[in-house]
Amino acid sequence: MANYTITYSEGSKGFPSFYSYFPDYMIGMNNYLYSFNKGQLYRHNTNDTRNSYYGTTYASTIKTVINEMPLDNKLFKTLNLESTDAWSAELLTDVAAQSSSIDSTSFVKKEGNYFAYVRTNGAVSGGALTESDFKSRANGGVGEVNSLFGGGSVTDLRFATSIDINSQLSVGDSIYAGSGSTLSFTGVVTAVSNGDTIATNYIRLNNTGGTTPSAGDFVMYFKNAQAESLGVMGHYTEITLTLPSTVTTASELFAIESELMKSYP
C-alpha cells in the first residue's frame, strides 16, 4: 500500500498537494509545523533549503492537462513555461499513446520564459516498434524487396522498377523489414538510388546490428521522430513537470502554455 502525505486547502476546499516525506506524527504549534520521524523531532520552514526532509532532498512534480477544444484532434507543437526555472516535462496524449520527453536543458529562455519544441518519443534505431510508431507521420512504406546485393556491413535492398522509392526517404533513416505484422530492424540508410533498372533502384544500408531481410519482405522507413519535431497528437495532453532535486531555492511557476493546431486526417 502506498503512503501519502497530503495537505488541505481552505481556498480550494480540497487536497491539492502531495508531499514526499512521511512523518510518524505531525502537530502545529506557535505558527510552526512540527513532525516526528524515527524518534527525531523536526521543525519545518526554518531554513532556505527547499524540498529537504529528514536528510533527503526531493524533486518537485506538477501534473496538469491541456484540454483546449476537447472534441478536436490536435497537434501539440511547443511548450512554454512562465517560470523562474526550467523544468523537465513528460507529455502523454490519448491518441495512439503518443508521448514526448523534454529535458530541462532543452528549454531555451526567451523573453523571460522557458520555451521548447515538443518532440515525439519515436522508435530508437534498432529498437522494437510499438503501435504509436506506425501511426507517426514521419514514417512510411517503400514496398517489397525484389533482391539483395552486397556483403559485410553494406547491403543494397533492390526493388522492382514499378516501385518509385518514396521521395521522403533520406540518408540516416532506419529501415525495418518483414512479413505480416512483424517488422525487424534491418539497418540505417546510407544512400538512395531511384533508377530505371532493378540494379539501380535500391536503398543502400549499413546493416550493422540489423536482421537481413528476404526477397518479398515489406520495407518501411522510420525517421528520427525527435529530429522531425512533429509534436504529439491527441484530443488532450497530460503534462508532468519535474523540477530537479538540485534546485533547492524558491522557484515559481506562473503558467504553462502550448502552441497547438487542429489535426486534419
Side-chain angles (χ1 to χ4, degrees):
M1 180 180 295
N3 293 322
Y4 295 99
T5 300
I6 60 178
T7 56
Y8 180 80
S9 169
E10 287 288 349
S12 61
K13 302 299 180 182
F15 298 88
S17 299
F18 294 77
Y19 288 91
S20 302
Y21 63 92
F22 307 116
D24 299 324
Y25 184 78
M26 302 173 68
I27 187 172
M29 185 172 61
N30 297 333
N31 295 322
Y32 283 102
L33 173 67
Y34 294 88
S35 68
F36 291 85
N37 180 264
K38 298 179 181 179
Q40 299 294 318
L41 174 64
Y42 295 85
R43 189 171 76 171
H44 295 239
N45 302 323
T46 58
N47 58 54
D48 293 330
T49 302
R50 305 301 177 101
N51 280 8
S52 181
Y53 303 105
Y54 310 145
T56 302
T57 302
Y58 298 90
S60 296
T61 302
I62 294 175
K63 182 178 289 188
T64 188
V65 173
I66 294 181
N67 197 26
E68 184 77 12
M69 298 179 296
L71 297 182
D72 291 334
N73 206 14
K74 300 170 288 293
L75 285 172
F76 297 87
K77 302 287 290 181
T78 65
L79 192 63
N80 190 55
L81 306 178
E82 293 189 23
S83 172
T84 56
D85 294 279
W87 299 54
S88 62
E90 295 285 338
L91 290 84
L92 181 66
T93 75
D94 63 313
V95 175
Q98 292 199 16
S99 63
S100 175
S101 301
I102 309 174
D103 189 80
S104 60
T105 58
S106 297
F107 282 89
V108 177
K109 197 168 188 179
K110 294 184 177 182
E111 299 181 354
N113 298 334
Y114 287 94
F115 173 89
Y117 288 101
V118 176
R119 306 177 190 275
T120 309
N121 293 332
V124 178
S125 182
L129 299 174
T130 64
E131 180 184 357
S132 61
D133 294 320
F134 288 97
K135 296 180 179 180
S136 171
R137 301 180 182 217
N139 311 324
V142 180
E144 292 184 354
V145 177
N146 177 276
S147 58
L148 287 80
F149 179 81
S153 61
V154 179
T155 300
D156 288 354
L157 305 183
R158 293 178 170 179
F159 299 88
T161 55
S162 58
I163 293 179
D164 184 15
I165 297 178
N166 198 311
S167 60
Q168 300 298 317
L169 181 67
S170 57
V171 172
D173 293 349
S174 296
I175 295 296
Y176 284 73
S179 58
S181 59
T182 303
L183 298 181
S184 300
F185 175 69
T186 300
V188 177
V189 177
T190 58
V192 179
S193 176
N194 204 340
D196 54 5
T197 66
I198 292 178
T200 59
N201 200 41
Y202 63 82
I203 300 172
R204 180 163 296 161
L205 305 177
N206 179 338
N207 58 15
T208 302
T211 301
T212 303
S214 302
D217 281 354
F218 184 77
V219 170
M220 288 190 68
Y221 68 88
F222 291 80
K223 293 185 174 295
N224 185 311
Q226 290 203 347
E228 293 295 309
S229 186
L230 294 174
V232 292
M233 180 176 63
H235 294 94
Y236 67 87
T237 180
E238 180 184 270
I239 302 174
T240 301
L241 297 179
T242 302
L243 188 67
S245 59
T246 54
V247 180
T248 58
T249 57
S251 181
E252 295 182 306
L253 176 65
F254 303 99
I256 304 170
E257 303 163 345
S258 179
E259 179 187 356
L260 53 89
M261 59 181 288
K262 186 175 180 180
S263 178
Y264 292 93

